[in-house]
Amino acid sequence: MSTQHPGAGRPEPVPGTTAEQLAAHLTALPDRDVAALLAARPDLVSPPSSSFTALAARAGARPSVETALRDLDSVTVAVAEAAVALSSTDPVLLGHALWLSANDVAARLAVLTRLALVIQAGPVPGLVDAFGPYPFGLGPWAGGPLADDQLPPPLTDLEQQAQDDPSIAVLKALAWGPPVGTLGAGHRSDGASELVARGWLERSSDSAGRTRFILPREVGLALRGGRLVRTPLVAPGSDDLDVLAPEAIAAEATSHAEEVVRLTRELLTEWGREGGQILRTGGVGVRALDRTAAALGLERTAAATIIELAAAADLLGLDEAGAAWVPASTASAWLEAELPEQWAALAVGWAASARTPWLVGTRSDDGVLRPVLGTDVEAAWAGRLRRRILTLLASLPEGTAVDAPWVRDALTFARPRRQIPDGAVTAVLAEAELLGLTGGGALSRAGGVLASSSQVPAVGDTDAADAAPTDETAPPAETNGQVLAALEHALAADLPADVGILLVQSDLTAIVPGRPSRALAQALERSSVVESRGGALTVRFTPESVRRALDAGWSAEELVQRLSRFSPSPLPSALRVLIDDAARRHGAVRVREVASVLRVADAAVAAGIVADAALKHLGLDEVAPGVIVSAAPAGVVLRELRATGLAPVLEDGQGRLLVSESPGVGRRAPAPASARPGNEHAVSRRRPGRRELAALVGRLRAGEEARRTSDGGAAAATDPVHALALLRQARASRARVRLRLAGPDGTQQERTVRVLAVEPGRVRLADLVRETELTVAVHRIVTLEIL
């Protein structure tokens, strides 16, 4: 390995790895290390490889390498890219280039080695491909040798020597990348010619007459002073962030927790009256969403968030017809529970959800609006992002308040190869604030419990931190019930003591000096509207709010009694007058839900139908002479009447006789079980346990031994992944390849070729015997061997 200064000439390169070298490396590993590799890179497990040679082909291919890089932090990724850029794995060399200590680099290289991304022979081919042709913005190595005395001094020294030199301007533009510049036909650069003469630039031309200049890698390193990055790689610090008092965080968080529970109760009440009708294309339409937003007093986006929260907590389900979302069977128990229990169910459901409510109302890739509770609002990365943000907040000093830009920078540093969609961090932080997991941007006590819980799953999560093989015999760290209990306790500890005092004013307003008790809160929710929240709750009684209490079944006297129970003084006369006036008007018009109407010409027959005990379950009522209404669907009424010996017929709304038409199905009750939107599209990868990994390693060794016994150890590929890896290797080395192709009629033919290009699903080849070119689908390759 080279120990030269990276700016002092070209380092001695580490030989490039091949699939055979990687296979030999994996074969030599102990079973324990192979199992750890498969656990850390679960994409190599499904489907399992037949041998170490096939495993090496997959592990060294770019798709699998990209997946592994997504779980590495910025420093480890930089070390991997530096190994590619400098063609070296020397910790001293890489440490100088990255402003790191040799020990730190050695530790990062050990991680890369355990992941089979860098081995003793050098970076695997997929790692080289992953960083593209210009790692760290450096060009290719020079076509000819450049001695140390032929390299330029650092760019800072050149600028001091001659600031107006045009050649320095060219070097300055290319030094930190991109290392390629182009001049149009007929144009010239005053400084480029001198640089080409010195060997500091390489020049080429294309058929259009354009001139292309490339800064060689040795020159770029010399200009940078041997550095690959301008400044040290440091995670965003928290020193400049605000630190809030625990009391302020608790007050803010509990206020939000109470509000989100109240809004969820209002949602269940609203959808209990009229559910969210499902569109033909799936999801709930804009009309239902706007109706719900108006009932909850929220904007459309906020209402969509509450709906998705309720669905994630299993509080919504489909009706029997599957045509609308309504309160699920679990909603009744939730409504009767105490506030901490209600909130904990919402928090756990949110953390495990793969839903993205902030995308409701936006357009998908095909231009269709995304509806609430629709499948287009499903994203496998959403749960993982929520967990990452909670974990990040928990790692900060207690009380540290964050904002979206800082969180995004911190997450990007921790996982630079994981793309975070625009607006996602801001939306998740807003959801955490809405739920009371944070207060003023700082993690609350309950939020810390959720962040540290092992029950914060993420749909499709593949973080390396979770990749350790599990022991099937070990009990789970925590049950869902334990997590719920911990969350309930954490919220209850921060909730202020409730009060049962209502100070009613003569102007029809009332003040609760603190957090209202459960009974007082229920009374006020039904009979008043909120004017302000904070340290005290201010409400106002209006004709509409009083009517809402009467609609709930309370009489005027009962409402007065309930409010008087909490008032230390008699209720003002203005409030009593308001209640009495609303009660006089209430019920002047009555609406009855009717599914069927019977018209009977004979009064005696009508009286007999109403009086028949066998038809009592139909809820029959004669509202006018010869006009009987029923709450049962028309088909049920027809069947029951015929069973009594009558001969009823069915008619339409205009009185026309229907003979062959089938009666409507009528309204159906909610389904007994809850449902979640998008569940059929969620993908969760099950991680193999220790026993399963041990069995996989055993099969790999047996398969490798069988392969060597059958073909004498030749590196012949018999599966598409292995074949693609060898084809890319052959293209890079311009080696000859012997392959066997399957024809359309099932016959096989052998070809000796040279690989010209490897494209998705196919490869372009030059037949060395027939002297022709051909394009072959990869699945047609039966076997492949590099000669």
Side-chain angles (χ1 to χ4, degrees), residues 129-337:
D129 296 339
F131 294 119
Y134 308 127
F136 283 112
L138 293 171
W141 296 109
L146 285 174
D148 291 348
D149 56 359
Q150 295 178 301
L151 293 173
L155 194 59
T156 53
D157 296 344
L158 287 176
E159 290 176 335
Q160 293 177 358
Q161 296 173 10
Q163 297 181 359
D164 298 332
D165 190 338
S167 62
I168 295 179
V170 174
L171 293 176
K172 187 176 181 180
L174 302 178
W176 288 98
V180 179
T182 304
L183 287 177
H187 295 77
R188 61 185 301 271
S189 173
D190 295 333
S193 299
E194 180 183 352
L195 297 176
V196 172
R198 291 189 177 188
W200 293 357
L201 274 185
E202 294 184 352
R203 177 170 54 193
S204 62
S205 300
D206 59 16
S207 58
R210 292 172 298 190
T211 302
R212 185 169 179 261
F213 296 100
I214 302 178
L215 188 73
R217 187 167 301 186
E218 300 93 325
V219 178
L221 288 169
L223 292 172
R224 298 180 183 187
R227 304 291 188 182
L228 293 176
V229 291
R230 295 176 185 263
T231 56
L233 299 170
V234 180
S238 60
D239 296 340
D240 296 333
L241 299 177
D242 295 332
V243 178
L244 305 182
E247 298 79 9
I249 299 173
E252 185 81 10
T254 53
S255 175
H256 287 300
E258 289 184 277
E259 180 66 5
V260 75
V261 170
R262 185 190 70 82
L263 290 171
T264 305
R265 288 200 304 266
E266 291 292 328
L267 169 68
L268 295 176
T269 301
E270 173 65 22
W271 280 27
R273 288 191 292 263
E274 183 179 356
Q277 294 295 321
I278 299 178
L279 300 172
R280 190 176 306 170
T281 55
V284 175
V286 175
R287 288 186 179 180
L289 178 58
D290 287 343
R291 168 178 58 83
T292 305
L296 272 57
L298 300 174
E299 297 293 332
R300 182 184 294 176
T301 303
T305 301
I306 297 298
I307 293 171
E308 292 284 357
L309 283 175
D314 292 332
L315 298 178
L316 295 179
L318 297 175
D319 62 7
E320 289 186 359
W325 287 96
V326 294
S329 59
T330 55
S332 298
W334 184 87
L335 289 170
E336 296 299 325

Side-chain angles (χ1 to χ4, degrees), residues 447-481:
V449 170
L450 190 61
S452 60
S453 169
S454 62
Q455 297 292 320
V456 184
V459 177
D461 192 7
T462 57
D463 281 351
D466 302 325
T470 58
D471 188 353
E472 295 90 340
T473 61
E478 293 176 287
T479 64
N480 192 57

Side-chain angles (χ1 to χ4, degrees), residues 30-213:
D31 289 358
R32 179 184 64 256
D33 293 347
V34 178
L37 169 65
L38 297 177
R41 297 176 63 176
D43 62 294
L44 300 178
V45 176
S46 180
S49 300
S50 60
S51 64
F52 278 109
T53 298
L55 178 65
R58 294 175 61 185
R62 180 172 179 175
S64 181
V65 170
E66 292 278 11
T67 301
L69 289 175
R70 287 205 300 266
D71 293 323
L72 301 179
D73 61 29
S74 291
V75 177
T76 307
V77 171
V79 171
E81 189 172 1
V84 172
L86 299 182
S87 298
S88 174
T89 55
D90 181 7
V92 176
L93 181 69
L94 302 183
H96 171 82
L98 296 173
W99 307 77
L100 298 172
S101 67
N103 290 336
D104 195 2
V105 172
R108 308 287 175 162
L109 286 173
V111 172
L112 296 171
T113 302
R114 286 197 297 271
L115 293 174
L117 300 177
V118 175
I119 62 176
Q120 186 175 9
V124 298
L127 190 66
V128 178
D129 296 339
F131 294 119
Y134 308 127
F136 283 112
L138 293 171
W141 296 109
L146 285 174
D148 291 348
D149 56 359
Q150 295 178 301
L151 293 173
L155 194 59
T156 53
D157 296 344
L158 287 176
E159 290 176 335
Q160 293 177 358
Q161 296 173 10
Q163 297 181 359
D164 298 332
D165 190 338
S167 62
I168 295 179
V170 174
L171 293 176
K172 187 176 181 180
L174 302 178
W176 288 98
V180 179
T182 304
L183 287 177
H187 295 77
R188 61 185 301 271
S189 173
D190 295 333
S193 299
E194 180 183 352
L195 297 176
V196 172
R198 291 189 177 188
W200 293 357
L201 274 185
E202 294 184 352
R203 177 170 54 193
S204 62
S205 300
D206 59 16
S207 58
R210 292 172 298 190
T211 302
R212 185 169 179 261
F213 296 100

Side-chain angles (χ1 to χ4, degrees), residues 377-469:
V377 191
E378 188 89 6
W381 50 262
R384 179 173 55 245
L385 180 61
R386 290 187 176 102
R387 185 173 69 173
R388 291 183 64 197
I389 290 178
L390 286 177
T391 304
L392 173 63
L393 296 182
S395 69
L396 298 174
E398 184 178 356
T400 303
V402 300
D403 55 18
W406 187 91
V407 171
R408 186 179 182 90
D409 291 344
L411 293 178
T412 301
F413 185 87
R415 299 287 189 273
R417 307 286 286 196
R418 278 195 185 276
Q419 295 298 321
I420 302 177
D422 293 339
V425 171
T426 301
V428 171
L429 289 176
E431 290 177 350
E433 191 81 10
L434 172 68
L435 277 163
L437 295 169
T438 59
L443 196 66
S444 67
R445 186 201 305 259
V449 170
L450 190 61
S452 60
S453 169
S454 62
Q455 297 292 320
V456 184
V459 177
D461 192 7
T462 57
D463 281 351
D466 302 325

Side-chain angles (χ1 to χ4, degrees), residues 597-602 606 626-628 651-652 654-656:
V597 177
L598 291 73
R599 295 196 301 128
V600 185
D602 191 332
V627 179
I628 303 175
E651 66 179 18
D652 62 12
Q654 286 72 41
R656 294 189 294 265

